[in-house]
Amino acid sequence: MAAVLVPAPVTVVGGVTVFTKDLWNNGPALADAWLRDPPRAILAQTVSQSIPTGVDTPVAFDQVIVDNRAGRSSDGTAWSAPAAGIYLVTATSNLAWNGAAGAFVGNHITATGQGTCAATEIPATPGPARFQYNLGALIALNAGDAIQLRIFQNSGQPLPTGFSATGSRLNARWIASP
C-alpha cells in the first residue's frame, strides 16, 4: 500500500495566512478532498471467533463497513494507517462467558511499535453471560503502522465472540497531523 501524503499546511508570511508552494502546486482541491474524506475505517465482526484461554488474541474483522484507504489486513486482524497522523481509534468487544470464577477478561487496542494504547481488564466474578466493552484512544501513527483490537480471557477454555447487541468493531479516523 502506497503512503498517502497529508496536504501541506498553510503558512504565515508577513502576518498573512497563505498557501505553501507545495499545497498550491498540488491544488487546493487536494486539501479540500482530504479534509472532506480523511482516512477512516469501520470494521465489524459478523462470524463468531474462538478466543483461546490465556492468549491475547487479535479479533478478526470479516466485514468492512467503511475503509476508504484500503487499510484492512487480508486476515482482517489489523488496520494500517495510510498516512502519518493522530487517529481516533475506538473499539467494541463482545465475548460470551462461561461463568468461571476468579478469571478476568481483557480488551486491548494495540499499535505497531507502541504496544497497548488502551485497555480494559474486568474481573469475571460474578460472571455475567456476556462481556461487551468499549474503549478508545487518540494514537499517533506513522504511515503503515497497524492497530488491532485484542481480547484476553483466562476462563480455562476457549470462548466465542458473540453478537447480542453488536459484534466486535474497530473504528479509526485520521484527526490531525502528528
Side-chain angles (χ1 to χ4, degrees):
M1 166 176 53
V4 177
L5 299 176
V6 177
V10 295
T11 190
V12 176
V13 176
V16 177
T17 301
V18 297
F19 287 115
T20 62
K21 178 182 175 185
D22 288 339
L23 180 60
W24 184 257
N25 288 342
N26 288 321
L30 178 63
D32 180 61
W34 178 269
L35 293 172
R36 289 177 192 266
D37 196 24
R40 57 195 169 92
I42 303 171
L43 308 177
Q45 185 182 61
T46 64
V47 176
S48 185
Q49 175 184 352
S50 180
I51 305 296
T53 187
V55 178
D56 199 24
T57 305
V59 174
F61 298 99
D62 60 294
Q63 183 179 38
V64 174
I65 297 171
V66 174
D67 188 0
N68 68 345
R69 303 284 198 255
R72 181 181 162 269
S73 64
S74 60
D75 66 357
T77 62
W79 183 80
S80 294
I86 307 298
Y87 287 80
L88 173 60
V89 179
T90 60
T92 300
S93 69
N94 194 322
L95 182 69
W97 190 249
N98 65 357
F104 75 94
V105 173
N107 302 286
H108 310 97
I109 294 175
T110 63
T112 301
Q114 299 179 50
T116 299
C117 298
T120 59
E121 294 182 346
I122 301 94
T125 305
R130 178 161 313 283
F131 283 91
Q132 186 170 23
Y133 290 97
N134 297 308
L135 61 160
L138 288 170
I139 304 172
L141 298 172
N142 295 311
D145 284 356
I147 56 171
Q148 292 183 318
L149 169 62
R150 294 173 164 262
I151 299 176
F152 176 91
Q153 60 88 14
N154 63 348
S155 69
Q157 66 185 26
L159 297 175
T161 56
F163 309 98
S164 65
T166 183
S168 296
R169 291 186 181 239
L170 180 68
N171 303 301
R173 182 177 178 89
W174 184 92
I175 298 296
S177 293

